[in-house]
Amino acid sequence: MSAQVGAQLYSLRDAGDRAGAFAALAAAGIDAVEPYDLSDVPGLRADADRHGLAIPSVHARDTDPATLDRVAALGAHTLVIPRSEPEDWADADGIRRVGARLAAWQQQAARAGLALAYHNHYWELATLPDGQHGLDLLAASTPPEVGFQVDLYWAHVGGADVAALLGRLGDRVRSLHVKDGPGDVAADQVELGHGTLPVAAVLAAAPPGAARILEIDRCAGPVLDLLARNRAALARLDEAVAA
């Protein structure tokens, strides 16, 4: 059975018609959404339910009781910490401080019945003086209950061998952010398979149960069109693997 395919709603931050956007996602074969804005939990949940879209995970930047309540009200099982600041990753001590925060937040989330994962950008994959990536040090500095949402493209842009990274993180990889592009931080992202990420090899290295979440930070054309094309590209990859 294929892993769940969702869409990160940051991709649709400029879409004024949430219900219409959700209908388009469902029509494209996307079966889940990942919110990042918790200002309208009842409306978000109602629109997702209306179009048959699950909400398995949510991006939130803290584990305050009000945040945990909102995440639970959406029916999610995982709270994803979406970022820490680049300056936190300048040296090993800073990375260990990030790890200590995540460990404390994981315990708070667990008491609310939620799992916790960390989402990377590109700066976490910078190489430290000892030769390892910062994200590997974070993994070594946190308990195994702290999971990871690996943004495949940003890990690639940051300089990682992404398939090898996924192998090292193993079953701590709870989900993937899937997108492609020319390998430039500021450039528009493109259809899966048309950029520099070796998409098939990377997806093959991921744990089978890791949810795949499509995201577009920026693109040249309509974002819903690119999300639909990327969903179709994933389907083609799945068919090729199954053949």
Side-chain angles (χ1 to χ4, degrees), residues 50-194:
R50 186 175 301 116
H51 297 288
L53 296 167
I55 306 178
S57 58
V58 174
H59 277 201
R61 297 197 66 173
D62 60 63
T63 54
D64 292 344
T67 299
L68 296 174
D69 287 346
R70 292 186 184 105
V71 173
L74 287 169
H77 55 66
T78 300
L79 187 158
V80 180
I81 302 298
R83 63 177 284 142
S84 53
E85 299 310 312
E87 53 266 29
D88 294 334
W89 295 78
D91 56 35
D93 288 342
I95 295 169
R96 292 189 182 100
R97 287 192 290 272
V98 173
R101 290 199 301 271
L102 290 173
W105 288 345
Q106 184 275 323
Q107 292 181 357
Q108 292 170 338
R111 287 194 287 272
L114 298 167
L116 183 130
Y118 178 77
H119 169 87
N120 66 279
H121 291 78
Y122 59 89
W123 52 83
E124 294 94 337
L125 282 305
T127 302
L128 299 170
D130 65 1
Q132 70 175 326
H133 294 299
L135 198 67
D136 288 301
L137 177 57
L138 182 69
S141 303
T142 49
E145 292 80 10
V146 173
F148 290 91
Q149 179 181 79
V150 179
D151 189 305
L152 305 176
Y153 180 62
W154 286 136
H156 169 67
V157 170
D161 176 335
V162 185
L165 174 69
L166 292 170
R168 292 193 300 273
L169 293 176
D171 61 7
R172 292 181 70 175
V173 178
R174 307 295 163 76
S175 58
L176 312 169
H177 268 202
V178 184
K179 56 196 176 212
D180 202 355
D184 184 317
V185 170
D188 287 338
Q189 287 144 23
V190 300
E191 184 176 335
L192 289 176
H194 292 253

Side-chain angles (χ1 to χ4, degrees), residues 5 22 27 64 115 160 190 216 224 227:
V5 177
F22 281 16
D64 292 344
V190 300
I216 306 298
L224 278 167
L227 288 170

Side-chain angles (χ1 to χ4, degrees), residues 6-20:
Q8 163 57 239
L9 293 182
Y10 181 75
S11 310
L12 301 173
R13 60 195 178 277
D14 296 324
D17 178 9
R18 182 175 61 201

